[in-house]
Amino acid sequence: MVRGSRVVEIISKTLSEMLVCPLSEQPLRVCEKSNSLISHAIGVSFPIVDGIPCLVPRDGEIVETDSDRTAADAKTDHKTAQE
């Protein structure tokens, strides 16, 4: 069984050039931090489990970006200030 960065290394060299997002049909980027493939076109992350990319749409998770967090924090701060 192959785990960790070796999985990402194998996928990045052999599959990442061929794999596309099943929803947007755009290229996927390998993310070593989350051990997943990310579609920046739609902001979805697909997990890599035991070296196998899980590209079934229901397995994808929405990626929270820094701007999403900043906007959410601003809304919370605004709401708190009003109370």
Side-chain angles (χ1 to χ4, degrees):
M1 185 180 312
V2 181
R3 292 211 178 260
S5 62
R6 177 138 166 79
V7 169
V8 172
E9 182 180 313
I10 290 169
I11 288 176
S12 66
K13 289 183 178 178
T14 59
L15 293 178
S16 67
E17 293 177 3
M18 295 184 288
L19 294 176
V20 296
C21 174
L23 301 170
S24 69
E25 298 181 0
Q26 297 298 309
L28 295 166
R29 179 183 63 84
V30 176
C31 178
E32 292 183 34
K33 183 178 178 183
S34 64
N35 198 36
S36 64
L37 295 169
I38 298 176
S39 171
H40 287 288
I42 60 172
V44 174
S45 172
F46 296 94
I48 300 170
V49 179
D50 293 329
I52 302 169
C54 299
L55 298 177
V56 177
R58 72 171 180 262
D59 291 338
E61 295 181 7
I62 295 174
V63 177
E64 185 176 304
T65 64
D66 290 336
S67 61
D68 291 342
R69 270 187 246 121
T70 303
D73 291 344
K75 285 180 185 176
T76 302
D77 291 345
H78 182 69
K79 199 181 274 187
T80 304
Q82 289 180 342
E83 294 174 354

